[in-house]
Amino acid sequence: MSDATATKTLVTLRLTVNNHPGVMSHVCGLFARRAYNLEGILVTPINGGSTCNVWLMINEDGRMNQVVSQVSKLHDILDVRVEETDENVFERLSACLEFAPVVAV
Amino acid sequence: MKRMTGAELTIRLLERQGITCIAGIPGGTNLPLYDALSRSTRIRHVLARHEQGAGFIAQGMARSSGCPAVFFATSGPGATNTLTSLADAKMDSIPIICITGQVSCPMIGTDAFQEVDIYGMSVPVTKHNYLARTVEELLHIIPEAFSIASSDRPGPVLIDIPKDVQMGMLEIAELPLAGMPEAPVAPDPALIRKAADLINAAQCPMLLLGGGANHPGTAAIALSLVEGCGIPAAMSLRGLGIIPLEHALSLGMLGMHGARSTNMLLEECDLLIVVGARFDDRATGRIDCFCPNAKVIHIDTDASEVGKLRAVEAGIIADARLTLEALLPFLGMKRRKPWLDRVACLKATHGMAVKDSDNPCSPYGIIRCVASLMDSSAIIATDVGQHQMRVAQVFPFTRPRQWLTSGGLGTMGFGLPAAIGAALQHPEATVLCFSGDGSLLMNIQELATAAEQQANVKIILSNNGGLGLVQQQQELFFGGRIFASEYTGVVDFPSIARGFGIPAINLNLSRTPEKDLEKALHSRGPCLVEVNIRAEDKVFPMVPPGAANIEMIEGECHV
């Protein structure tokens, strides 16, 4: 994300969702159906695994408000917020991964 | 403590939701549910002949009552067959609940016999869906499904129940509470005042009423707004019936096949008050040319609809009835004589003029003749195509929920099973099913269901030997190249109906068509009335797809 213009157009959404098989297909399906690409996805369980945090990196291209209000309607989505902080979770994650040793499976 | 199986629990919970009739088809993986249903004294089962038919029967019940309706299908092909009716319900916000059987949990993911991932497949066509993994989960899933289906903007819910979950045992002290719709959301008072100011300041205001306002309580208050404040009302396809068609301030349907006068008045209005409608492209035409001079007040319970396609001056995300009730006291009775004179003038010069309205063997005449023989208790279902647009244009609807049609998805094959569902829900009513030969063939197997149930459904078949609306577009926009839209094989529909045990007549072959039509409509039970019309007869006026509503083809006195 060294290109300044590219950083400007990317936005991170943070969702809190119920954790069960199928939630991610609801979320990802909604974006796919509206021809909206997900540039990055990160999911971590919270509250002992009953819910998850989902970070989605998306392009802000004028359709974002519509897709955010559609995501908010999903029954398993408990909270949606547009991350305002400068500390982008995806940037930090890529930084970690770059230095992580490659382990053969 | 009571001991019961998952299947028995499901049926008990459906009984507690007030369900009295379930359409469906049994199969390998939902047999435990059917076994439990056979012992229910409160729920009657209606055996459909195709799962899509079962889904539309449920839609007919839900659309005509406003309450959630349930249908059953087995796994695999039974489940995939439900998808069209679910997608249709999603587009038109209809509360139906589909309960599918699924292979037992240990077999899920093994490509077992009649296994499909209906949970995954139904994600985009349902408001919400479930795969029940344990018997205990059913305790919250079933009531929650009813609550979701009927709350806010209604919609379809699918519940997939594996066979071993249906057969698993559960001990419970008492059943959970029945699932109810959430309380309707009241409007923000500040927005009400803003909207009232906009309305009071407007010289040429117009209402646009959609499916979200098609409920008796909302319609009554919308009528007070129309009459009390002198505001003319147009309706979307799904909103027809909210204001009676023959009311002086009703403008009927707008959009692609609306009256010229309606689209012209929308062009001229300075304020558009949209209630429970979503700016569908068939209604607005080219959106950037729609109501170019108007400020917009948009009232909708679904936040994602407000501002989706048209910027608004006031967006009120709340229940339609509560919002209109809150608005009324702030609105002065304003005499907008120039505007109402203009409305009356354009309705007279550019309204729908119905050609051949007293000839029951003509495309519009059959509709008007049938309407003249019916009272306001009749329910009207249609299929999709030219006949549907003609009914939408000229049938004198008088009340909300009187009109059942597939709007958003435009599903051919909707009409007959939806009419059966409405007849099951309202056994005292006469249910008309206007159809075309293309549409009727798409769920014709449900004639067997209609005959078996002796559903009081009158099928009015306008037979033009082809796909009329397709031919219309080919002729107007594809250089007249009619291709793949004519049926060269002739189907003898009256013989087919009789083969199912349903009386039938062809009005063109009758010496006294008016009399025979009256006899058919006023006798009890299902019947089929066929008229032969010409495929060349188009539906006018018409806005070409992608054009502005003001660029209508024909239709001055063409209808």
Side-chain angles (χ1 to χ4, degrees):
Chain A
M1 293 306 132
S2 53
D3 184 358
T5 52
T7 8
K8 237 180 210 171
T9 59
L10 285 170
V11 173
T12 303
L13 299 182
R14 181 165 131 181
L15 321 180
T16 309
V17 307
N18 286 325
N19 182 11
H20 65 79
V23 170
M24 285 311 290
S25 79
H26 276 109
V27 173
C28 297
L30 189 146
F31 280 83
R33 195 154 70 247
R34 290 176 187 269
Y36 214 119
N37 196 37
L38 293 170
E39 308 293 334
I41 305 174
L42 173 66
V43 186
T44 56
I46 51 172
N47 292 330
S50 65
T51 55
C52 290
N53 271 334
V54 179
W55 283 271
L56 302 175
M57 184 163 66
I58 60 172
N59 268 305
E60 155 61 301
D61 64 358
R63 297 178 298 157
M64 192 182 80
N65 287 342
Q66 175 61 206
V67 85
V68 167
S69 57
Q70 293 292 349
V71 168
S72 312
K73 287 201 307 190
L74 294 178
H75 188 74
D76 281 321
I77 307 303
L78 309 173
D79 185 52
V80 182
R81 52 188 72 184
V82 181
E83 288 279 20
E84 307 283 354
T85 67
D86 292 330
E87 279 199 66
N88 185 312
V89 63
F90 287 100
E91 282 180 40
R92 284 185 287 155
L93 186 66
S94 348
C96 294
L97 292 176
E98 268 173 36
F99 296 108
V102 178
V103 183
V105 180
Chain B
M1 292 294 266
K2 296 175 204 129
R3 244 174 94 77
M4 61 180 88
T5 65
E8 287 162 347
L9 173 66
T10 303
I11 300 300
R12 291 290 297 281
L13 292 173
L14 294 178
E15 288 172 348
R16 280 168 63 93
Q17 292 292 151
I19 295 299
T20 55
C21 181
I22 292 175
I25 303 183
T29 59
N30 66 356
L31 278 173
L33 271 175
Y34 267 86
D35 193 46
L37 180 58
S38 73
R39 292 189 294 276
S40 171
T41 52
R42 293 197 210 163
I43 305 178
R44 159 186 177 209
H45 181 254
V46 170
L47 181 62
R49 299 305 197 260
H50 187 288
E51 289 82 358
Q52 188 187 110
F56 285 134
I57 289 173
Q59 277 214 36
M61 296 192 278
R63 284 180 190 248
S64 61
S65 69
C67 299
V70 176
F71 69 112
F72 281 0
T74 190
S75 61
T80 55
N81 280 345
T82 66
L83 288 171
T84 301
S85 58
L86 290 170
D88 190 277
K90 177 87 185 305
M91 289 290 265
D92 284 353
S93 310
I94 306 301
I96 54 171
I97 293 166
C98 174
I99 300 182
T100 47
Q102 180 54 282
V103 301
S104 292
C105 289
M107 297 172 82
I108 290 178
T110 67
D111 304 315
F113 177 66
Q114 291 193 332
E115 179 192 359
V116 295
D117 173 20
I118 196 63
Y119 176 87
M121 286 185 198
S122 61
V123 167
V125 296
T126 52
K127 185 174 175 187
H128 192 57
N129 61 0
Y130 298 94
L131 169 55
R133 288 164 192 281
T134 62
V135 191
E136 290 75 18
E137 281 180 44
L138 292 170
L139 289 168
H140 81 262
I141 287 178
I142 306 265
E144 199 173 86
F146 277 84
S147 172
I148 291 171
S150 54
S151 294
D152 299 324
R153 179 178 182 173
V157 177
L158 178 132
I159 308 170
D160 198 24
I161 313 182
K163 193 173 186 180
D164 57 336
V165 174
Q166 296 172 40
M167 301 203 302
M169 293 302 289
L170 180 75
E171 274 192 25
I172 46 164
E174 58 181 326
L175 292 173
L177 291 174
M180 289 302 169
E182 284 165 24
V185 177
D188 173 354
L191 282 171
I192 289 291
R193 278 192 294 278
K194 186 176 177 191
D197 290 345
L198 286 166
I199 296 172
N200 288 329
Q203 300 300 313
C204 312
M206 253 178 92
L207 264 168
L208 170 53
L209 303 168
N214 204 338
H215 309 283
T218 316
I221 194 112
L223 188 61
S224 338
L225 189 68
V226 166
E227 290 179 340
C229 306
I231 303 177
M235 282 155 273
S236 73
L237 180 67
R238 290 262 300 113
L240 291 173
I242 297 174
I243 307 293
L245 181 76
E246 290 177 354
H247 192 286
L249 291 176
S250 165
L251 301 173
M253 182 173 69
L254 81 160
M256 183 175 271
H257 294 293
R260 273 184 174 254
S261 51
T262 307
N263 287 336
M264 289 164 78
L265 287 163
L266 282 160
E267 179 86 1
E268 293 174 20
C269 73
D270 65 357
L271 176 70
L272 185 67
I273 308 153
V274 183
V275 188
R278 57 181 176 82
F279 293 91
D280 177 80
D281 53 280
R282 296 286 140 133
T284 64
R286 208 177 127 181
I287 187 83
D288 51 351
C289 302
F290 179 65
C291 297
N293 309 318
K295 293 178 176 169
V296 173
I297 299 170
H298 194 174
I299 301 163
D300 205 296
T301 185
D302 180 352
S304 69
E305 288 299 346
V306 176
K308 181 176 87 173
L309 293 165
R310 170 79 185 235
V312 299
E313 269 66 30
I316 304 180
I317 298 154
D319 179 73
R321 181 177 58 83
L322 294 182
T323 304
L324 295 181
E325 277 171 1
L327 260 176
L328 265 184
F330 291 98
L331 302 180
M333 173 61 202
K334 207 168 159 171
R335 295 204 58 81
R336 299 181 175 93
K337 195 165 182 308
W339 175 232
L340 295 188
D341 286 349
R342 176 77 180 146
V343 170
C345 169
L346 274 183
K347 275 184 80 169
T349 56
H350 292 76
M352 283 283 169
V354 185
K355 200 170 76 173
D356 288 335
S357 73
D358 51 357
N359 172 10
C361 296
S362 73
Y364 285 96
I366 180 66
I367 299 165
R368 295 303 290 230
C369 288
V370 168
S372 70
L373 292 166
M374 289 288 121
D375 63 28
S376 67
S377 68
I379 296 169
I380 296 90
T382 69
D383 262 303
V384 169
Q386 288 179 320
H387 70 274
Q388 176 194 31
M389 289 300 109
R390 288 175 177 136
V391 176
Q393 287 173 328
V394 305
F395 195 95
F397 298 107
T398 52
R399 60 184 177 87
R401 292 207 192 115
Q402 185 183 19
W403 155 244
L404 322 177
T405 203
S406 169
L409 198 67
T411 312
M412 293 171 68
F414 170 92
L416 174 59
I420 294 170
L424 292 167
Q425 184 77 33
H426 303 274
E428 72 296 342
T430 299
V431 183
L432 303 171
C433 170
F434 287 96
S435 190
D437 49 326
S439 285
L440 189 58
L441 279 172
M442 291 205 184
N443 268 322
I444 198 157
Q445 76 287 344
E446 299 309 325
L447 284 176
T449 314
E452 201 166 86
Q453 300 295 327
Q454 279 302 295
N456 198 21
V457 170
K458 315 298 179 190
I459 302 161
I460 314 294
L461 170 65
S462 297
N463 186 348
N464 63 3
L467 298 164
L469 216 43
V470 172
Q471 291 189 28
Q472 176 163 341
Q473 291 221 16
Q474 288 175 332
E475 194 159 322
L476 293 172
F477 311 119
F478 291 86
R481 294 179 295 279
I482 305 292
F483 176 69
S485 53
E486 288 172 307
Y487 298 135
T488 47
V490 175
V491 177
D492 181 352
F493 283 96
S495 292
I496 285 180
R498 287 183 205 114
F500 279 102
I502 292 177
I505 49 163
N506 179 299
L507 291 188
N508 300 78
L509 302 177
S510 160
R511 285 188 194 167
T512 52
E514 288 90 349
K515 226 170 126 186
D516 284 353
L517 178 63
E518 184 170 1
K519 201 176 134 201
L521 294 180
H522 290 162
S523 54
R524 186 85 198 157
C527 73
L528 181 135
V529 176
E530 181 186 44
V531 288
N532 298 105
I533 59 169
R534 301 183 314 157
E536 310 86 271
D537 285 338
K538 299 183 184 57
V539 180
F540 285 129
M542 181 183 195
V543 178
N549 271 355
I550 208 70
E551 300 164 33
M552 302 196 88
I553 304 174
E554 306 277 351
E556 280 84 355
C557 286
H558 211 287
V559 172

